Amino acid sequence: MKILAVGMNYAAHTRELGDEVQPEEPVIFTKPDSALLKDGKPFFIPSFSSKIHYETELVVRICRLGKHIAPRFASRYYDAVTVGIDFTARDLQRKFREAGQPWELCKGFDNSAAIGEFVSLSGLDKEIQDLHFKLDIDEQTVQAGYTGDMLHKVDDIIGYVSQFMTLKIGDLLFTGTPVGVGPVSIGQHLEGYLEGQKLLDFYIR
Protein backbone atom coordinates (compact mmCIF):
# COMPACT_ATOMS: atom_id res chain seq x y z
CA MET A 1 0.00 0.00 0.00
CA LYS A 2 1.25 3.46 -0.86
CA ILE A 3 0.05 6.92 0.03
CA LEU A 4 -0.06 9.50 -2.74
CA ALA A 5 -0.77 13.14 -2.04
CA VAL A 6 -1.40 16.30 -4.01
CA GLY A 7 0.08 19.64 -3.08
CA MET A 8 -1.20 23.10 -4.03
CA ASN A 9 -4.58 21.84 -5.25
CA TYR A 10 -6.71 24.71 -3.92
CA ALA A 11 -5.95 28.24 -5.12
CA ALA A 12 -6.61 29.98 -1.80
CA HIS A 13 -4.29 27.60 0.06
CA THR A 14 -1.57 28.11 -2.53
CA ARG A 15 -1.75 31.85 -1.93
CA GLU A 16 -1.86 31.21 1.82
CA LEU A 17 1.63 29.69 1.58
CA GLY A 18 2.91 32.60 -0.49
CA ASP A 19 2.78 30.98 -3.94
CA GLU A 20 0.92 33.04 -6.54
CA VAL A 21 1.59 30.72 -9.48
CA GLN A 22 -0.95 27.93 -9.85
CA PRO A 23 0.52 24.57 -10.96
CA GLU A 24 -0.45 23.48 -14.47
CA GLU A 25 -0.09 19.81 -13.52
CA PRO A 26 -0.78 18.07 -10.20
CA VAL A 27 2.03 18.39 -7.66
CA ILE A 28 2.50 14.83 -6.41
CA PHE A 29 4.40 13.58 -3.38
CA THR A 30 4.32 10.32 -1.46
CA LYS A 31 4.23 9.15 2.12
CA PRO A 32 5.41 5.72 3.31
CA ASP A 33 2.95 3.27 4.82
CA SER A 34 4.49 3.99 8.23
CA ALA A 35 2.90 7.45 7.99
CA LEU A 36 -0.59 5.99 8.33
CA LEU A 37 -2.54 6.87 11.49
CA LYS A 38 -6.02 5.35 11.83
CA ASP A 39 -8.65 3.91 14.19
CA GLY A 40 -8.80 7.07 16.27
CA LYS A 41 -5.30 6.63 17.67
CA PRO A 42 -3.69 9.82 19.03
CA PHE A 43 -1.10 11.82 17.12
CA PHE A 44 2.07 12.46 19.11
CA ILE A 45 3.89 15.67 18.23
CA PRO A 46 7.43 14.69 17.17
CA SER A 47 10.46 16.17 18.87
CA PHE A 48 12.15 17.25 15.62
CA SER A 49 9.64 20.01 14.83
CA SER A 50 8.27 23.03 16.67
CA LYS A 51 5.56 23.76 14.11
CA ILE A 52 3.36 20.83 13.08
CA HIS A 53 0.44 21.95 10.91
CA TYR A 54 -2.81 20.18 10.09
CA GLU A 55 -3.95 20.02 6.46
CA THR A 56 -7.45 18.59 6.10
CA GLU A 57 -8.14 16.66 2.90
CA LEU A 58 -10.54 14.37 1.10
CA VAL A 59 -8.90 10.93 0.90
CA VAL A 60 -9.79 8.52 -1.89
CA ARG A 61 -9.30 4.74 -1.65
CA ILE A 62 -8.17 2.87 -4.77
CA CYS A 63 -10.07 -0.39 -5.40
CA ARG A 64 -8.60 -1.70 -8.68
CA LEU A 65 -5.19 -2.32 -10.18
CA GLY A 66 -4.52 0.24 -12.88
CA LYS A 67 -1.88 1.82 -15.09
CA HIS A 68 -2.26 4.56 -17.73
CA ILE A 69 -5.84 5.17 -16.62
CA ALA A 70 -7.84 7.53 -18.83
CA PRO A 71 -9.53 10.22 -16.71
CA ARG A 72 -12.93 9.32 -18.17
CA PHE A 73 -12.55 5.83 -16.68
CA ALA A 74 -10.89 6.87 -13.41
CA SER A 75 -14.08 6.65 -11.34
CA ARG A 76 -13.97 2.88 -11.78
CA TYR A 77 -10.75 2.76 -9.77
CA TYR A 78 -11.95 4.11 -6.42
CA ASP A 79 -14.83 3.04 -4.22
CA ALA A 80 -14.72 5.02 -0.97
CA VAL A 81 -13.64 8.30 0.58
CA THR A 82 -12.91 9.75 3.98
CA VAL A 83 -11.46 12.80 5.69
CA GLY A 84 -7.74 12.78 6.41
CA ILE A 85 -5.06 15.01 7.87
CA ASP A 86 -1.76 15.53 6.07
CA PHE A 87 0.42 16.58 9.02
CA THR A 88 3.31 18.78 7.91
CA ALA A 89 6.42 19.87 9.77
CA ARG A 90 6.13 23.42 8.45
CA ASP A 91 9.42 24.64 9.89
CA LEU A 92 11.31 21.82 8.21
CA GLN A 93 9.42 22.32 4.97
CA ARG A 94 10.45 25.96 4.77
CA LYS A 95 14.03 25.10 5.60
CA PHE A 96 14.23 22.42 2.90
CA ARG A 97 12.48 24.55 0.26
CA GLU A 98 14.76 27.53 0.89
CA ALA A 99 17.77 25.25 0.44
CA GLY A 100 16.31 23.69 -2.71
CA GLN A 101 16.33 20.27 -1.08
CA PRO A 102 13.73 17.46 -1.21
CA TRP A 103 11.14 17.80 1.53
CA GLU A 104 9.85 14.25 1.99
CA LEU A 105 10.94 14.25 5.64
CA CYS A 106 8.58 17.11 6.53
CA LYS A 107 5.62 15.23 5.03
CA GLY A 108 6.37 11.52 5.37
CA PHE A 109 7.29 11.11 9.03
CA ASP A 110 5.58 8.46 11.18
CA ASN A 111 1.83 8.97 11.72
CA SER A 112 1.71 12.03 9.45
CA ALA A 113 -1.22 10.66 7.40
CA ALA A 114 -4.27 10.43 9.63
CA ILE A 115 -7.40 8.91 8.10
CA GLY A 116 -10.96 8.47 9.29
CA GLU A 117 -13.60 5.86 8.58
CA PHE A 118 -14.22 5.25 4.89
CA VAL A 119 -17.68 5.60 3.37
CA SER A 120 -18.81 4.52 -0.07
CA LEU A 121 -19.55 7.17 -2.65
CA SER A 122 -22.76 5.35 -3.50
CA GLY A 123 -23.85 5.76 0.10
CA LEU A 124 -23.20 9.49 -0.03
CA ASP A 125 -25.26 9.74 -3.22
CA LYS A 126 -23.14 12.67 -4.44
CA GLU A 127 -20.49 13.21 -7.08
CA ILE A 128 -16.92 13.25 -5.85
CA GLN A 129 -16.47 16.86 -7.03
CA ASP A 130 -19.51 17.98 -5.04
CA LEU A 131 -18.47 17.13 -1.49
CA HIS A 132 -18.06 19.37 1.56
CA PHE A 133 -15.64 18.52 4.34
CA LYS A 134 -14.33 20.27 7.42
CA LEU A 135 -12.10 19.99 10.47
CA ASP A 136 -13.14 21.01 13.97
CA ILE A 137 -10.57 21.51 16.72
CA ASP A 138 -12.02 21.60 20.22
CA GLU A 139 -15.50 22.00 18.68
CA GLN A 140 -14.51 25.03 16.59
CA THR A 141 -14.37 24.78 12.79
CA VAL A 142 -10.87 25.72 11.63
CA GLN A 143 -10.91 24.51 8.05
CA ALA A 144 -13.65 23.83 5.50
CA GLY A 145 -13.36 22.68 1.92
CA TYR A 146 -15.44 21.94 -1.13
CA THR A 147 -14.10 19.46 -3.67
CA GLY A 148 -15.57 21.51 -6.52
CA ASP A 149 -12.83 24.08 -5.81
CA MET A 150 -9.98 21.70 -6.64
CA LEU A 151 -7.59 22.96 -9.30
CA HIS A 152 -7.08 19.37 -10.46
CA LYS A 153 -10.09 17.07 -10.19
CA VAL A 154 -9.81 13.59 -8.68
CA ASP A 155 -10.24 11.74 -11.99
CA ASP A 156 -7.60 13.92 -13.66
CA ILE A 157 -5.17 13.31 -10.79
CA ILE A 158 -5.62 9.56 -11.10
CA GLY A 159 -5.10 9.74 -14.85
CA TYR A 160 -1.97 11.83 -14.38
CA VAL A 161 -0.27 9.85 -11.62
CA SER A 162 -1.06 6.47 -13.20
CA GLN A 163 1.19 7.42 -16.11
CA PHE A 164 4.14 7.16 -13.73
CA MET A 165 3.21 4.42 -11.27
CA THR A 166 0.78 1.55 -11.06
CA LEU A 167 -2.13 2.09 -8.72
CA LYS A 168 -2.91 -0.89 -6.52
CA ILE A 169 -5.86 -1.99 -4.41
CA GLY A 170 -5.73 -0.22 -1.06
CA ASP A 171 -3.60 2.73 -2.19
CA LEU A 172 -4.71 6.07 -0.75
CA LEU A 173 -4.86 9.43 -2.49
CA PHE A 174 -4.81 12.60 -0.39
CA THR A 175 -6.34 15.15 -2.76
CA GLY A 176 -5.08 18.47 -1.36
CA THR A 177 -6.03 20.91 1.37
CA PRO A 178 -8.09 24.11 1.23
CA VAL A 179 -7.19 27.39 2.89
CA GLY A 180 -7.00 27.54 6.68
CA VAL A 181 -4.09 25.31 7.69
CA GLY A 182 -2.58 25.90 11.09
CA PRO A 183 -0.60 24.48 14.02
CA VAL A 184 -1.66 21.76 16.44
CA SER A 185 -0.82 21.55 20.12
CA ILE A 186 -0.94 18.94 22.84
CA GLY A 187 -4.41 18.21 24.20
CA GLN A 188 -6.41 19.32 21.18
CA HIS A 189 -9.36 17.25 19.95
CA LEU A 190 -9.62 16.92 16.16
CA GLU A 191 -12.86 15.90 14.43
CA GLY A 192 -13.24 15.60 10.66
CA TYR A 193 -16.60 15.69 8.85
CA LEU A 194 -17.69 14.80 5.33
CA GLU A 195 -21.14 16.00 4.27
CA GLY A 196 -21.99 16.46 7.94
CA GLN A 197 -20.95 12.94 8.93
CA LYS A 198 -18.13 12.62 11.46
CA LEU A 199 -15.51 10.22 10.11
CA LEU A 200 -12.35 11.31 11.93
CA ASP A 201 -11.94 11.69 15.69
CA PHE A 202 -8.66 11.73 17.64
CA TYR A 203 -6.46 13.73 20.04
CA ILE A 204 -3.08 15.43 19.89
CA ARG A 205 -0.64 14.17 22.49
Side-chain angles (χ1 to χ4, degrees):
M1 186 274 288
K2 57 184 173 289
I3 303 169
L4 303 169
V6 185
M8 303 170 65
N9 203 25
Y10 288 81
H13 170 62
T14 299
R15 292 191 295 269
E16 177 181 43
L17 295 184
D19 294 311
E20 293 299 328
V21 178
Q22 308 298 333
E24 294 183 4
E25 296 178 329
V27 176
I28 304 296
F29 61 94
T30 64
K31 291 173 178 268
D33 57 6
S34 55
L36 197 62
L37 180 67
K38 59 182 182 177
D39 300 327
K41 293 179 180 177
F43 173 80
F44 290 88
I45 295 179
S47 61
F48 54 73
S49 175
S50 60
K51 190 174 290 186
I52 297 292
H53 277 200
Y54 59 82
E55 297 188 9
T56 313
E57 313 197 6
L58 180 81
V59 181
V60 175
R61 185 176 68 191
I62 301 299
C63 65
R64 291 178 63 181
L65 184 72
K67 175 76 172 174
H68 294 295
I69 301 166
R72 67 182 182 276
F73 299 130
S75 62
R76 303 177 183 178
Y77 289 82
Y78 53 86
D79 64 348
V81 293
T82 191
V83 178
I85 306 291
D86 166 23
F87 283 111
T88 302
R90 193 71 72 199
D91 47 355
L92 295 185
Q93 184 183 45
R94 289 173 177 156
K95 173 184 173 182
F96 294 151
R97 291 181 68 176
E98 289 171 359
Q101 298 173 347
W103 39 273
E104 280 85 356
L105 292 181
C106 75
K107 287 281 194 178
F109 55 90
D110 288 352
N111 299 324
S112 63
I115 59 170
E117 177 186 353
F118 279 93
V119 294
S120 68
L121 281 168
S122 59
L124 289 172
D125 196 30
K126 298 196 74 173
E127 298 293 329
I128 198 164
Q129 299 301 159
D130 187 30
L131 297 175
H132 295 84
F133 60 96
K134 69 168 184 169
L135 174 69
D136 287 359
I137 296 182
D138 296 334
E139 300 183 347
Q140 297 294 320
T141 299
V142 296
Q143 199 173 15
Y146 172 58
T147 58
D149 293 332
M150 289 181 181
L151 297 174
H152 303 285
K153 308 307 182 187
V154 171
D155 291 356
D156 293 329
I157 295 167
I158 288 175
Y160 177 77
V161 77
S162 68
Q163 298 176 70
F164 302 94
M165 59 186 74
T166 301
L167 297 182
K168 295 185 176 183
I169 296 172
D171 287 350
L172 302 179
L173 175 63
F174 280 65
T175 58
T177 192
V179 70
V181 302
V184 294
S185 58
I186 293 173
Q188 288 180 327
H189 183 199
L190 276 60
E191 297 171 290
Y193 294 81
L194 178 65
E195 290 297 314
Q197 182 177 352
K198 183 163 70 171
L199 302 178
L200 182 68
D201 188 340
F202 67 105
Y203 286 85
I204 305 296
R205 301 300 188 200

